[in-house]
Amino acid sequence: MLSSEVLDYVSRSVLCWLATVDETGQPNVSPKEIFTAFDSQHIVVANLASPTSARNIEVNPRVCISFVDIFVQKGFKVIGAARNIRRSDADFSKWSAPLEAMAGAKFPIRSVFVIQAVSVEPIIAPSYRFYAAETTEKSQVASAMQTYGVQRSGDV
């Protein structure tokens, strides 16, 4: 389900967005900083301070998570079913291990949102479609670097 391209984008993205829905149908979209692909079926997300996401997953496991490489302006949307694995759960350490390695002691993980992918769709900036002849990943990176005022390491 999670192809090598999707896995690559997960590793390149520094932030993802997790969409959940509560029992009344009220949506919630929340940024998540510590996340990774666990395997080709699951994405794991550290619950650092997300009581609303945790509550929503308990009542409605259907979620959507998206991540984009901000420089090339491409990424993926993954729809799936989530579980909230608490520290007290027997398999917490299994799911939390890669996240704990990323977070270190600085960010205590309250629980892990384990998302089993059901479908995957690409996210692509409109420029790639509307201006296909002139839009390349290289041009998008150059534009983003100018917009964000950043340079590549070693270019200074």
Side-chain angles (χ1 to χ4, degrees):
M1 178 62 59
L2 302 176
S3 69
S4 59
E5 183 181 21
V6 173
L7 298 175
D8 178 51
Y9 273 87
V10 169
S11 68
R12 291 166 38 182
S13 301
V14 297
L15 191 67
C16 72
W17 297 91
L18 180 64
T20 60
V21 179
D22 71 12
E23 66 278 356
T24 69
Q26 179 66 43
N28 179 65
V29 178
S30 179
K32 306 295 182 222
E33 183 177 1
I34 300 174
F35 65 100
T36 192
F38 187 83
D39 57 26
S40 65
Q41 297 294 315
H42 299 91
I43 294 176
V44 290
V45 180
N47 173 12
L48 304 178
S50 300
T52 302
S53 296
R55 263 192 322 273
N56 288 353
I57 287 169
E58 294 295 331
V59 298
N60 186 347
R62 295 177 62 195
V63 300
C64 178
I65 187 168
S66 62
F67 41 90
V68 174
D69 177 318
I70 61 169
F71 292 105
V72 299
Q73 298 178 32
K74 291 181 180 178
F76 288 91
K77 172 174 80 170
V78 177
I79 295 175
R83 292 182 291 145
N84 184 27
I85 308 296
R86 295 175 185 80
R87 282 198 166 274
S88 59
D89 293 338
D91 57 350
F92 176 82
S93 61
K94 168 189 163 184
W95 295 108
S96 69
L99 300 171
E100 303 260 359
M102 296 167 73
K106 189 174 181 179
F107 296 104
I109 297 173
R110 294 173 181 235
S111 66
V112 176
F113 303 140
V114 177
I115 302 161
Q116 182 167 2
V118 173
S119 68
V120 178
E121 295 177 31
I123 297 172
I124 185 166
S127 300
Y128 285 103
R129 292 190 175 110
F130 295 145
Y131 305 102
E134 60 205 61
T135 303
T136 64
E137 287 190 3
K138 185 176 180 179
S139 71
Q140 291 294 87
V141 169
S143 175
M145 293 181 105
Q146 182 178 1
T147 298
Y148 300 131
V150 297
Q151 297 178 358
R152 292 184 190 270
S153 298
D155 289 352
V156 260

